[in-house]
Amino acid sequence: MSSIVVGKITQLLDQVHPSLGTPLFVVVVIGLCSWLYTRIVRGPYNMSMLEKIPGPKSLPILGNAIDFAVPHYKFLKVLTDLVHQNGPVMKIFLAHRPYVVLSKAKGFETILSSNKHITKGPDYKFIHPWLGLGLLTSDGGKWHSRRKMLTPAFHFKILEDFLVIMNEQSSILTNKLAKLKPDNNTLDMFPNITYCALDIICESAMGRNVNAQSDSDSPYVRSLFKASDIIFQRQTSPWMWNNLAFYLRPSGWDFRKALKILHGFTEQVIKDRQKLYKEEKAQKESAKTTDHEEDLAIGQKKRLAFLDLLIDVSDDGRVLSDKDIREEVDTFMFEGHDTTAANMSFTLYALASHPEYQAKVQTELDSIFGDDPDRPASMDDLAKMKYLEACIKESLRLYPSVPLMSRTIHEDTVIEGQLVPAKTNVILFNYLLHRDPEQFPKPEVYNPDRFLNENIRQRHAYSYVPFSAGPRNCIGQKFAMMEEKVVISSILRKFKLATNLAKKDLCLLPELILRPKDGLPIAVTPRKPIV
Ligand code: HEM
């Protein structure tokens, strides 16, 4: 076999130049390449330790790429099958890079509960040109100080101010749904919910409305989708990993163009908001209010945005530069729209598929709102939506918005009895973790009762981590749950949902977030509350 390969290469090189076409020259070149590959490309990794970890056979250079050379919607199934064949700590190679895939609660606990394993995996670097090194992508001291600085922005009292925005945008959405004709009342819920989520996060993060619900074709909205799309393409295409190769391609140009618009928009909003902040401060000072500092405190301004807190702590560039502020605002925009949109859409789909649970949620909502389907939801109302909360959590179990996370570990670590060497990229496979039959009997069945208090206690603390867990858990999870309750309850107070899409026909794409391949068709019919 090897003599045939050498023969073929010899023939080829001979055509290029006769002096290259000698077998000795070809053997030397192949030897040199494999030496370079072993020493330089795989050199940083402890191969002898990795060899002891179970995993499918891999090829030099390609790794396990051939196993994953399937249509994208089959990716989750391929990875699930490989884990079932190899065990809950499984090694694979993507090109030359070793990955260890975890899929059980104990392994998740080892990584997520630790203060040491907080470095994100290499796939996140493709987000850096957009988000820089903000809260999502940074590590070490920078991440610690940012996390400390931003945590107060997600305090219950601050979040309450965003309720107005959530109610307003939900009402725009339900008005849109009310206009559907009885004979043509089925729509793809996914994009409609996404525009609503985008308007909510945009106004909450920046204090500026992009009106995606009425103009989904604005340059900012288009650029946001374009940039997310290209990042995902890059993550899954090794030939686009290299910066030079990427930026010379048309998608590299498109990415640059999209970032110019996204960064330009955020920078302009920051400038406008800083100006406003200075004017307000000057006004307060000239009014000689003794308690002006208190008046400026976050939480007391009308129509507060996360950006205001950042401007407040920036101390005129001494603590946070304008670029630092932009990183965090862009991070909220990136993390805060797709994730909630996906979860809201899947919850509405699950409830449309299960009229019995939908009816339970509607009974709960009717008991909270009586016969007034238009009253904006208050924080007290949201606290009473216990069954809706269980439905949202159950759809996050079956359809986690973030189906995979990754970390690079910096020291040899024992995970479920297996020694995993430093520099390995660990993939936390949430999608499969949430389907562990020992923790969730009949895992494919949608059953919100699993999230009623008495049933939660029986499970491992790391068996369900849709918002991650430990020090790098999702900072926006309370915001997300509030938003989802407001939007979903607004819809279910007014409409009955149904769908013809069976779960077995639902194809899932693990892109930057989990999304349905062919949308989520849902029929929407007006209803009256039962009082
Ligand atoms: C259903 C909705 C959401 C889900 C399922 C979700 C899930 C997650 C997950 C799994 C992580 C960890 C990612 C990783 O380690 O790679 C994360 C981190 C993060 N999320 Fe969320 N998220 C949601 C909504 C939000 C919202 C609404 C915001 C902002 C307003 C937000 C902001 C962030 C930030 C800034 C981080 C990085 C935190 C850090 O590393 O300290 N998320 N989220």
Side-chain angles (χ1 to χ4, degrees), residues 21-278:
T22 64
L24 181 64
F25 179 80
V26 173
V27 170
V28 169
V29 168
I30 293 177
L32 194 65
C33 287
S34 70
W35 181 84
L36 280 174
Y37 178 70
T38 322
R39 302 297 300 221
I40 298 179
V41 180
R42 282 200 169 174
Y45 307 112
N46 184 335
M47 295 307 291
S48 60
M49 214 185 266
L50 282 164
E51 266 158 25
K52 300 196 179 101
I53 303 174
K57 278 207 167 22
S58 64
L59 295 170
I61 302 175
L62 291 175
N64 293 97
I66 290 177
D67 291 306
F68 295 102
V70 291
H72 199 60
Y73 68 90
K74 291 195 178 157
F75 177 87
L76 289 171
K77 171 146 183 13
V78 169
L79 192 58
T80 301
D81 289 348
L82 287 176
V83 169
H84 286 151
Q85 289 154 20
N86 294 283
V89 181
M90 173 183 81
K91 163 202 66 192
I92 53 170
F93 284 93
L94 294 182
H96 60 281
R97 271 189 207 145
Y99 287 80
V100 163
V101 182
L102 306 182
S103 50
K104 289 263 191 187
K106 264 170 76 183
F108 269 63
E109 181 171 16
T110 306
I111 298 298
L112 294 181
S113 66
S114 157
N115 275 312
K116 288 186 222 150
H117 307 307
I118 59 165
T119 304
K120 299 290 170 87
D123 327 281
Y124 291 72
K125 81 169 189 230
F126 304 124
I127 312 177
H128 292 182
W130 180 3
L131 308 185
L133 284 177
L135 192 59
L136 179 72
T137 41
S138 56
D139 58 19
K142 180 165 184 185
W143 170 77
H144 265 287
S145 70
R146 290 279 171 97
R147 180 83 191 201
K148 213 166 136 200
M149 200 182 285
L150 291 169
T151 297
F154 290 87
H155 187 274
F156 178 82
K157 270 274 141 231
I158 306 256
L159 294 184
E160 199 170 348
D161 279 21
F162 299 125
L163 206 51
V164 184
I165 299 167
M166 294 170 183
N167 275 303
E168 270 177 17
Q169 294 301 335
S170 302
S171 146
I172 294 174
L173 176 64
T174 52
N175 286 343
K176 230 164 128 182
L177 297 181
K179 289 192 185 119
L180 293 172
K181 306 261 178 326
D183 56 340
N184 188 15
N185 67 343
T186 298
L187 82 170
D188 179 2
M189 215 27 117
F190 207 86
N192 287 287
I193 292 282
T194 303
Y195 300 139
C196 177
L198 199 48
D199 281 340
I200 292 175
I201 192 63
C202 205
E203 209 175 336
S204 309
M206 304 199 249
R208 179 77 57 94
N209 194 340
V210 280
N211 294 312
Q213 295 212 75
S214 50
D215 178 16
S216 56
D217 205 31
S218 75
Y220 182 79
V221 175
R222 258 190 290 128
S223 305
L224 195 91
F225 293 142
K226 189 85 197 162
S228 308
D229 215 40
I230 296 175
I231 289 169
F232 167 70
Q233 277 178 33
R234 250 196 118 176
Q235 285 179 334
T236 49
S237 316
W239 57 94
M240 285 162 79
W241 286 356
N242 178 278
N243 271 342
L244 186 65
F246 170 66
Y247 284 111
L248 288 174
R249 299 172 66 87
S251 48
W253 282 94
D254 288 347
F255 190 58
R256 258 195 233 275
K257 260 194 267 166
L259 290 197
K260 204 165 165 225
I261 294 172
L262 293 173
H263 287 158
F265 183 85
T266 320
E267 279 159 12
Q268 189 56 50
V269 176
I270 294 171
K271 268 200 200 110
D272 295 349
R273 211 78 191 178
Q274 279 169 330
K275 194 164 160 261
L276 200 73
Y277 178 86
K278 281 186 187 142

Side-chain angles (χ1 to χ4, degrees), residues 120 124 135-136 143 147 154 201 306 331-332 335-337 339-340 343 396 401-402 405-407 430 465-468 471-477 479-480 483-484:
K120 299 290 170 87
Y124 291 72
L135 192 59
L136 179 72
W143 170 77
R147 180 83 191 201
F154 290 87
I201 192 63
F306 285 123
T331 297
F332 290 154
E335 268 296 294
H337 84 277
T339 46
T340 48
N343 186 211
L396 265 180
S401 309
V402 182
M405 300 181 280
S406 82
R407 295 279 189 279
N430 294 8
V465 293
F467 292 104
S468 187
R472 290 216 78 159
N473 69 353
C474 172
I475 201 169
Q477 55 187 295
F479 179 95
E483 170 183 341
E484 297 203 12

